[in-house]
Amino acid sequence: MNDGFVAMSRFAVFNETVDAVKAAFRARPHLVDDAPGFIKMDVISPVDAPEEVWLITYWDDEANFLAWHHSPAHKDSHRQMPRGIKLDPKRSRLQFFTHIAN
């Protein structure tokens, strides 16, 4: 049985656009929802670091995530993000996990 695949993208916003970034996620176009192998997405922000946003997506497998991540629809899904976002490169990370259980 396949355990599943999780991709977590963490980033910190340097400037005042963090609230606009969070609003954009709340109003996201849901383009990923119909991607093959997609299960769900959570967007969270640490209470002690509100300038950080963690995007966690759950997939059937890594191949489906990579297909989405390199697709035109993935690029389109970022179009509603506010202009002028400045990210802290030292606090940006994409990490992969094996999903074991819920």
Side-chain angles (χ1 to χ4, degrees):
M1 180 175 149
N2 186 356
D3 288 323
F5 179 79
V6 177
M8 184 192 71
S9 176
R10 180 183 79 196
F11 58 92
V13 181
F14 265 139
N15 56 12
E16 67 283 346
T17 61
V18 69
D19 289 335
V21 169
K22 291 176 182 179
F25 275 112
R26 285 185 192 100
R28 71 184 182 87
H30 293 268
L31 297 178
V32 70
D33 293 5
D34 294 324
F38 176 78
I39 298 170
K40 73 174 187 166
M41 179 171 81
D42 293 318
V43 183
I44 59 176
S45 181
V47 172
D48 63 346
E51 72 282 3
E52 287 187 9
V53 176
W54 297 16
L55 173 63
I56 306 165
T57 56
Y58 298 80
W59 299 84
D60 287 340
D61 57 40
E62 184 176 4
N64 280 316
F65 166 77
L66 292 174
W68 160 255
H69 194 72
H70 295 98
S71 72
H74 178 261
K75 184 176 180 179
D76 289 346
S77 71
H78 290 82
R79 287 196 175 153
Q80 73 178 33
M81 284 293 157
R83 294 182 184 257
I85 297 173
K86 291 190 173 122
L87 302 181
D88 181 348
K90 293 180 182 174
R91 294 169 63 193
S92 294
R93 181 172 187 181
L94 177 61
Q95 192 169 4
F96 301 140
F97 299 86
T98 299
H99 186 265
I100 305 299
N102 11 343

